[in-house]
Amino acid sequence: MTHVFVAPHPDDVALSCGGLIASLRELGQSVTILTVFSGAGSATDPGSSLTTYQREALGFGSKTHWPATEAFNRADIAADYPVETADDGNGNAAVPVWAAREDRLDATQEDADASAKRFWQRASWYRRASIRNKPLAGQLLVDDLSTQGAVYTDDVVEAAAAGEVMASRRVEDERYAYFAEASLVFLDLPDAVFRGYEGDDQLLGGPREDDLSAFEVLRREIVRLEPQSVYLPLGIGNHVDHVLCREAGMGLLQEGRRWVMPGPEWAGQVTFYEDFPYAWWKAFSRLDDLPRGALAGLPSDVLLSLRYADIADQV
C-alpha cells in the first residue's frame, strides 16, 4: 500500500504521525510526505528580515522552549521496572536487578543471529543481528551512517548554514524523511507568515477570503502518487495553513466517484490526524472541540469515525 501524509509545514507530520509512519514502514508499506507550505514567498532574505514574531511562528524563537521542556518532560514518566540495584556477579559496579548479565546477553545474541539467518534463508545474503548495537562481520552500523547529504541540494544546505530559516526547516524535514525511510515532496507554497498574517489572532484565526487555496496543487500531487490512504491535518489549533490543508481534504471528499476514466473513491481513503502539539495544548478529545464550522465542508453522506493507531511498540 501507498500512504500519503500531508504536512502543512516541515515537522507537522513528524510530530503528529511519526509513530504511525514507523509502524507502516515496519510492514514494508510505502510512505510519502507532502510538505505544503515550505516556501518563503517573495521574501528576498528571510534569514535576516524576519520579525521576532515571524521567527517564533516558524519555530526559531522562545516559543520552541516550552513544548520541548514540558511536552517531552521525562521526569513525569515512571520507570517500567524498579530501579533497585545489585552486584552483577563479577564484582563490577551495581546494576539494576532486572538488567541482563553477560552470559544471558551472549545467549540472546546467538538466538538473534539464528533468527536472522532463518529470516534471510531464501536470500543470497543475510544481515547479522547485533543486540549490543555494535557492527558485526564488517557490516555498517546504521547509527554510524550519516543522515546528512543524501538528498539535500547544495543550495539548500548553504542557505541553511547561512541562517535562512525556511532552508533550515527543509533540511530538518529531509533528515526526518531519511530517518523514517519515507519519500518527501516539497510543494513550496509560501508559509502564512510570508502571506501577510501577523500575530496569533490572524495566524490562528482561519484563512482570509483573499488567501490562496492549496486544493488544486494538493489534489494534483495526491492523484499522481495514487495512494490507498491520505492523511491530512484536522486543524485543531485553527492555524491558517493547517485549515487550508483540512479544507483540501474536504474538497477531495466532495468529489463524487468519477465514472469517466474512474478516479479514486476518496471516502474511506481520507483520514484526518490530530495535529500535535495543538491537540496536546488544547486537551483535544472529540470533534466538538474543533472551532465552529470546521467540518462544514463534510458531505452529508460521509461520516467520520474514530481510528486509533497503537504505536506502543514504536515508542
Side-chain angles (χ1 to χ4, degrees):
M1 291 183 64
T2 296
H3 303 261
V4 169
F5 289 80
V6 175
H9 312 106
D11 77 12
D12 284 319
V13 158
L15 290 174
S16 305
C17 306
L20 175 58
I21 289 175
S23 66
L24 293 173
R25 291 299 298 132
E26 277 193 0
L27 297 174
Q29 299 187 15
S30 175
V31 172
T32 296
I33 300 171
L34 290 182
T35 302
V36 184
F37 298 101
S38 53
S42 59
T44 57
D45 186 11
S48 59
S49 62
L50 297 183
T51 65
T52 300
Y53 177 80
Q54 286 176 322
R55 290 185 62 84
E56 289 181 346
L58 291 170
F60 290 85
S62 59
K63 285 188 177 182
T64 65
H65 300 328
W66 185 75
T69 56
E70 297 300 324
F72 303 105
N73 188 349
R74 296 179 60 86
D76 295 329
I77 304 175
D80 291 333
Y81 300 96
V83 294
E84 292 84 1
T85 59
D87 189 275
D88 70 351
N90 296 319
N92 297 324
V95 295
V97 293
W98 45 263
R101 300 176 186 273
E102 278 300 315
D103 56 340
R104 293 182 179 180
L105 287 173
D106 290 338
T108 303
Q109 177 62 64
E110 292 179 7
D111 289 342
D113 252 349
S115 296
K117 288 180 180 179
R118 288 194 296 271
F119 182 83
W120 294 102
Q121 62 183 343
R122 291 182 177 85
S124 59
W125 57 276
Y126 81 93
R127 294 176 178 171
R128 298 288 301 275
S130 171
I131 66 169
R132 292 183 173 87
N133 204 37
K134 295 180 180 179
L136 291 174
Q139 297 177 353
L140 290 174
L141 186 67
V142 69
D143 290 354
D144 292 336
L145 297 177
S146 173
T147 56
Q148 301 184 39
V151 288
Y152 321 140
T153 55
D154 290 341
D155 57 336
V156 173
V157 174
E158 291 172 0
E164 185 176 318
V165 295
M166 293 310 293
S168 296
R169 298 190 82 188
R170 177 167 176 159
V171 167
E172 289 182 350
D173 212 18
E174 293 195 16
R175 289 192 66 183
Y176 168 71
Y178 183 92
F179 166 79
E181 298 179 331
S183 56
L184 181 62
V185 176
F186 290 106
L187 300 185
D188 281 342
L189 298 181
D191 189 287
V193 300
F194 302 117
R195 303 199 310 273
Y197 288 88
E198 299 179 358
D200 284 354
D201 289 343
Q202 293 187 20
L203 201 65
L204 307 179
R208 298 189 306 255
E209 291 186 2
D210 62 345
D211 200 1
L212 56 82
S213 170
F215 176 69
E216 289 300 332
V217 64
L218 257 178
R219 186 191 184 282
R220 182 175 66 247
E221 286 298 310
I222 291 171
V223 170
R224 180 179 68 83
L225 292 166
E226 299 182 344
Q228 283 73 50
S229 295
V230 182
Y231 307 80
L232 302 107
L234 201 48
I236 294 170
N238 214 37
H239 188 294
V240 55
D241 291 341
H242 290 236
V243 171
L244 289 171
C245 290
R246 181 188 67 213
E247 290 180 350
M250 294 294 177
L252 291 176
L253 292 173
Q254 289 168 6
E255 292 188 351
R257 185 165 180 83
R258 297 171 178 239
W259 293 106
V260 179
M261 294 297 289
E265 184 73 68
W266 293 112
Q269 292 182 252
V270 170
T271 297
F272 296 96
Y273 61 82
E274 296 183 12
D275 346 28
F276 186 88
Y278 299 103
W280 188 75
W281 286 341
K282 292 182 173 293
F284 179 83
S285 62
R286 54 185 177 177
L287 293 177
D288 289 342
D289 295 335
L290 289 171
R292 183 181 298 274
L295 302 179
L298 190 69
S300 59
D301 59 344
V302 175
L303 298 177
L304 292 183
S305 60
L306 179 67
R307 293 177 61 190
Y308 178 75
D310 185 351
I311 60 170
D313 288 347
Q314 282 67 43
V315 172

